[in-house]
Amino acid sequence: MPSRTILVVTSSGPEAQAYRGYCLESVAASYDIVLITPSEPTWEKEFISDFEIADPDDAEALDQAGRALADRHQLAGVATWTEWYLTQTARLARQLGLPTNSPEAMEAARNKATARTLFARHGVPSASSMTARTLLEAALAAETIGYPIVLKPAARAASIGVIRVDCVEELPAGFEFASAGARDGIESTHVLVEEFLDGPEVSVECVTYRGHTTAVAVTRKTLGDPPFFEEVAHCVDAADPLLAQVAPVAAAAVKALGITDGIQHVEMRLVNGRPRLIEVNARVGGDMIGHLVSLATGVDLPRAAADVACGLAPDLTPTRSQAAAIRLVYPAHSGTLAERSLDGTFPWLERVSFQREVGDHLVLPQDGGDMFTARIGFLITTGTSAADARARCTEAYRHLAVQVTPA
């Protein structure tokens, strides 16, 4: 038997447990896991056999940790589902002589400016985009593209620093907001000025193995109030007819970036009914989307990610046909969390999870925060159809007791 030990590079802490714990649990059912993480494992210890502590943003420390684990274990592959560590993980896998995408392909996926260039070169429908280093450059780009526009960091994720600007008067504040989000970017600290794509937002959950991409499911998204782009709900339906339409565009986008293996969360908008690319995230989708896919279709994306990372063909056979939805819980205003609880139990409520405790301070994007400083938790429901799962999500949400004392 070949080695069944996989090295996972991941973040740590309560957010990782809440939103990526299911990934570790799924992979541990079939693999021995050794971990590289920035801090001492706690909840992860149930699922791992060994670990090294290292900051994945420190190339030398990551390399030393990887080689130490390789000396103690016969590794079959290296994987991550942490957006910030994609490029570093690819470099580590290459250094260890294990299967991987090229670091250059991961950099292209992480750097949205590079991705837009490659989409255009390969004829993938996308948004018009220009890079801006100053407010003046942003103003000139906005005049060229035409309002409304979207400002966003070139190399961030989770809607950090993303804002819609409808007119020139809103540009200075919008550019400052996007610039603040861009300052911590690794691949780029620039701001992008982009065409606003007006239409419903979806993502396509894909698995790529040896250059062939399979679209497994489509996720329908609900966004919060403009001008921000915080996602507040998702729904996956195994029978969604949209999958056949968006799958070819998603596969073309993955190919354009040079990605040959792995999991992709491909975001797009339907403009006049036609898909236009937003970005390709080269990992399992956040906000529990991989878990929604499993509930709806039976396809295990974290397990598929591990298989592909070890050079094995993933099993993408659907074993279920239903729907699953998630509702993300945000406060109506910034302040101190005074109460958070769910009144009642429901057979179709798959789980409810709170990441904030009473007494925690919550800061919404309009007050200088982001999803990590504002989100209270989430709840997940299942149903026979998307409408059914969404209705149950709404019903469960009505039974939440959330009180926030204004700042």
Side-chain angles (χ1 to χ4, degrees), residues 293-313:
V293 171
S294 178
L295 291 173
T297 71
V299 176
D300 189 335
L301 290 180
R303 166 65 189 275
D307 289 342
V308 172
C310 294
L312 303 175

Side-chain angles (χ1 to χ4, degrees), residues 274-290:
R274 297 181 179 181
R276 301 272 301 276
L277 254 293
I278 297 175
E279 62 191 46
V280 174
N281 300 283
R283 39 79 180 168
V284 178
D287 291 348
M288 300 294 289
I289 286 175

Side-chain angles (χ1 to χ4, degrees), residues 20-30 33 43 47 81 351:
R20 293 304 193 187
Y22 79 94
C23 294
L24 206 61
E25 182 178 1
S26 172
V27 174
S30 302
I33 299 176
W43 61 271
F47 305 111
W81 39 73
R351 71 179 64 185

Side-chain angles (χ1 to χ4, degrees), residues 112-169:
K112 297 176 178 64
T114 302
R116 290 280 187 237
T117 300
L118 291 171
F119 293 156
R121 182 180 302 165
H122 291 271
V124 180
S126 180
S128 301
S129 178
M130 300 176 72
T131 300
R133 291 165 294 184
T134 66
L135 177 59
L136 177 59
E137 290 181 353
L140 294 173
E143 289 300 321
T144 301
I145 293 172
Y147 290 96
I149 57 167
V150 176
L151 299 176
K152 65 175 64 173
R156 294 290 276 165
S159 300
I160 294 173
V162 184
I163 188 168
R164 173 175 165 171
V165 173
D166 290 332
C167 60
V168 66
E169 289 78 15

